[in-house]
Amino acid sequence: MESYKTDKIEQLLEKYFEADTTAFEEADLRAYFSQDTVAEHLEQYAPMFQYFSKEKEERFTKEVLKPKTGTSRRIWYSWVSIAAIVLLLVGAYFKTSMASSTLEDEYTQEEIAAAQEALSLLSINFNKGAGQIVYLEEFEKNTNRFLDN
Amino acid sequence: MQQTEFLTIVMPFKDKLFRLAKRLLVSKEEAEDATQEVLLKLWSKNKKMEGYNNVEAFAMTMTKNFCLDRLKSKQAANLKLVHSNYTDNDSSLDKKLEATDSVSWVQKIMEELPEQQKMVLQLRDVEQYEYEEISEMLEMKPTAVRVALSRARKAVREELTKKHNYGIV
């Protein structure tokens, strides 16, 4: 009985090394070599099959979808670009309305002064914001450099 | 496709992707990163994914390509590897001494195999895929899969026999 089995394993091994075994036959081989009693002359093959079985146990333990970084930054960018477009339109509007009639015709001196002050405030703050963007772009450039590596 | 739906699709084979990545990249951390990148890429294609009849095979191919690219760029970046042929002979004895038991010895032997043989052996003998599946995943002809598999198995056998006969551990 035992020698019959050993014969069969020998035959399977021969086929195995020619890559002619079926998945079923290979399962037989793994089962044979996973037991404690292996024929002495076949012992040298045992580590191979034991290793393959062991390797299948290894698991991927990290999160499947890692949280995306940089999403909030992207949303921030889109808000900045919307604000820039709005400002551009406002600017264009003022420019065309200024061309059609002089400011002094339509507004009092106080109104013009107030508007100028408001606009200069806007421009100061906008420049502040723009300054931040340069910084962020630099930051993005550098992080990308690291990410690419 | 919802994220939960995506997760149920990839759950059954995420470990296989990871094990293939680890086989190629060796380092566990790098293999984890690679697996996450591949899954993220797969998720970004989730609208198209319903069109694929075999998402698992597709993901395996993605993993293979990703890791091979990674190895290539590493090789290009690391000039030391140019001299690998000559340092290798030197260090292989040390490596062999490191392997404590014959099972981990097989791992060392596999590390020395060419990439294609590593992958074929991994996909057949560890993951037990059918030959046709492997040829699809690795974009190889079925006969080429068998040839590479037979060579890989024989190479492992040769090293094991050497060790068995001379008892070098």
Side-chain angles (χ1 to χ4, degrees), chain B residues 31-45:
Chain B
E32 282 169 348
D33 283 352
T35 312
Q36 281 184 323
E37 289 293 327
V38 168
L39 288 168
L40 214 58
K41 269 191 199 174
L42 196 63
W43 169 238
S44 71
K45 287 187 200 262

Side-chain angles (χ1 to χ4, degrees), chain A residues 16-17 19 26 56 58 60, chain B residues 15 19 124-125 150 153:
Chain A
Y16 171 81
F17 285 108
E26 286 167 23
K56 222 191 169 188
E58 185 146 25
F60 177 65
Chain B
D15 295 330
R19 291 191 291 251
R124 179 64 182 188
D125 279 346
S150 168
R153 284 169 172 175

Side-chain angles (χ1 to χ4, degrees), chain A residues 23 26 30 51-59, chain B residues 12-23 56 60 110 118-130 133-134 137 153:
Chain A
E26 286 167 23
R30 272 192 304 276
Y51 174 74
F52 294 143
S53 306
K54 191 194 97 186
E55 278 302 282
K56 222 191 169 188
E57 304 297 309
E58 185 146 25
R59 297 281 174 266
Chain B
F13 61 79
K14 66 171 178 46
D15 295 330
K16 297 180 186 176
L17 303 182
F18 169 64
R19 291 191 291 251
L20 178 65
K22 190 162 172 248
R23 177 66 57 209
E56 182 171 338
M60 277 294 192
M110 271 185 84
K118 272 185 206 173
M119 292 191 287
V120 172
L121 205 55
Q122 174 72 18
L123 295 181
R124 179 64 182 188
D125 279 346
V126 179
E127 310 298 355
Q128 292 141 36
Y129 282 117
E130 289 298 333
E133 291 177 296
I134 297 170
M137 287 167 183
R153 284 169 172 175

Side-chain angles (χ1 to χ4, degrees), chain A residues 90-106:
Chain A
V90 168
Y93 172 77
F94 271 106
K95 222 178 168 199
T96 47
S97 64
M98 249 174 23
S100 59
S101 60
T102 54
L103 281 172
E104 285 76 7
D105 292 340
E106 289 185 47

Side-chain angles (χ1 to χ4, degrees), chain A residues 32-96:
Chain A
Y32 175 78
F33 284 106
S34 68
Q35 50 179 16
D36 291 329
T37 49
V38 172
E40 208 179 320
H41 67 290
L42 297 177
E43 248 174 20
Q44 55 177 310
Y45 301 112
M48 205 171 165
F49 294 97
Q50 285 165 7
Y51 174 74
F52 294 143
S53 306
K54 191 194 97 186
E55 278 302 282
K56 222 191 169 188
E57 304 297 309
E58 185 146 25
R59 297 281 174 266
F60 177 65
T61 50
K62 297 276 160 164
E63 275 176 283
V64 167
L65 289 176
K66 62 176 169 189
K68 266 190 201 166
T69 49
T71 330
S72 56
R73 206 157 55 213
R74 232 164 272 148
I75 290 170
W76 201 81
Y77 270 136
S78 56
W79 277 111
V80 169
S81 52
I82 290 167
I85 291 165
V86 168
L87 279 170
L88 216 70
L89 289 174
V90 168
Y93 172 77
F94 271 106
K95 222 178 168 199
T96 47

